[in-house]
């Protein structure tokens, strides 16, 4: 499972002017978290804390003075009044056990139920569409429920991608059920196409998993 690695920065600084003090990183000593500290991590049930520590003079959220769109006065104030500091950045990743059983597995079951609709006669597209649309609404509603337990971020997590692909897959099945109704006059031809598409969707389902 893809691990969503996060950064947590701890700043050590001083109120003295930048010309009065200079904080220097010791390259001969490797910074790391002791084993005892890993066991006392309060959120260890949800997050995995790594031993690696990165020491630098700036954090990832610092003001970008290299951006050409930044006002010149803002650059001057940022350079003159920025205190001397060292930033210790630690790395952690969210444990996926909870989401594996309470999100991935349930989405898998909802999506797999779309194959049961092929047991309905293809000459009854209205019945097939009714069940398929219900599955789509269930998938969308379940995704909104999952989003409440995830952080609001600007990129798609692996769980978001899996949920969207599953919804899109059920939409493809729904589109086929609306198309197969047009071939119900020729029952043998419609039944043959229906079996072919069932096999195609099954292969596609296994491939993307």
């Amino acid at each position: 499972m893809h691990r969503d690695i996060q950064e947590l920065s701890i700043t050590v600084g001083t109120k003295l002017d930048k010309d009065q003090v200079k904080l220097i990183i010791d390259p001969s000593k490797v910074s790391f978290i002791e084993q005892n500290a890993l066991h006392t991590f309060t959120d260890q049930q949800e997050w995995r804390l790594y031993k690696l520590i990165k020491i630098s003079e700036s954090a990832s959220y610092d003001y970008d003075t290299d951006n050409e769109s930044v006002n010149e006065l803002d650059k001057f104030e940022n350079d003159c009044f920025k205190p001397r500091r060292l930033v210790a950045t630690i790395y952690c990743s969210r444990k996926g056990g909870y989401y594996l059983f309470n999100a991935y597995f349930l989405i898998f079951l909802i999506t797999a139920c779309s194959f049961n609709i092929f047991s309905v006669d293809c000459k009854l597209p209205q019945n097939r569409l009714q069940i398929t649309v219900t599955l789509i609404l269930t998938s969308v509603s379940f995704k909104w429920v999952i989003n409440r337990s995830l952080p609001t971020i600007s990129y798609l997590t692996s769980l978001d991608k899996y949920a969207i692909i599953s919804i899109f897959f059920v939409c493809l099945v729904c589109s086929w059920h609306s198309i197969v109704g047009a071939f119900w006059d020729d029952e043998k031809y419609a039944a043959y196409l229906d079996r072919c598409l069932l096999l195609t969707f099954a292969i596609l389902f296994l491939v993307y998993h």
Side-chain angles (χ1 to χ4, degrees), residues 16-201:
L16 297 176
D17 187 75
K18 61 183 301 184
D19 297 329
Q20 296 177 313
V21 63
K22 184 176 182 180
L23 302 177
I24 302 176
I25 303 173
D26 189 357
S28 63
K29 295 183 179 180
V30 179
S31 302
F32 64 93
I33 300 177
E34 294 184 355
Q35 191 68 27
N36 295 333
L38 296 177
H39 294 300
T40 57
F41 184 50
T42 56
D43 293 332
Q44 59 181 330
Q45 295 296 330
E46 183 180 359
W47 295 88
R48 177 187 176 187
L49 188 63
Y50 295 92
K51 293 184 178 181
L52 174 65
I53 297 181
K54 179 182 178 182
I55 305 296
S56 62
E57 295 184 359
S58 61
S60 58
Y61 50 81
D62 277 345
Y63 198 80
D64 187 8
T65 56
D66 295 331
N67 192 344
E68 296 181 356
S69 63
V70 177
N71 187 278
E72 292 295 332
L73 180 59
D74 294 335
K75 289 183 179 180
F76 174 78
E77 293 178 351
N78 186 71
D79 292 336
C80 292
F81 302 103
K82 182 178 179 181
R84 300 297 302 176
R85 64 179 183 176
L86 287 181
V87 181
T89 304
I90 60 177
Y91 297 88
C92 57
S93 62
R94 190 186 303 272
K95 292 184 178 180
Y98 172 83
Y99 298 96
L100 180 63
F101 296 103
N102 295 279
Y104 280 95
F105 185 64
L106 294 181
I107 295 176
F108 170 80
L109 293 179
I110 295 173
T111 309
C113 287
S114 61
F115 292 102
N116 299 332
I117 306 174
F118 284 88
S119 62
V120 181
D121 197 337
C122 59
K123 293 187 296 183
L124 301 173
Q126 64 276 12
N127 295 343
R128 286 188 168 194
L129 290 174
Q130 182 180 4
I131 303 174
T132 311
V133 172
T134 302
L135 286 178
I136 294 176
L137 294 177
T138 303
S139 301
V140 174
S141 301
F142 187 68
K143 186 181 185 306
W144 280 107
V145 173
I146 296 174
N147 288 342
R148 295 178 182 177
S149 60
L150 293 175
T152 305
I153 52 181
S154 60
Y155 60 89
L156 293 177
T157 63
S158 57
L159 181 57
D160 292 327
K161 295 177 182 179
Y162 180 73
I164 293 174
I165 291 176
S166 298
I167 295 174
F168 181 74
F169 178 82
V170 179
C171 289
L172 286 179
V173 177
C174 183
S175 300
W176 166 247
H177 294 325
S178 63
I179 294 174
V180 73
F183 300 99
W184 71 271
D185 290 332
D186 190 348
E187 183 176 353
K188 293 183 179 180
Y189 184 60
Y192 173 75
L193 286 179
D194 195 51
R195 288 193 296 270
C196 292
L197 264 295
L198 173 60
L199 181 61
T200 302
F201 284 129

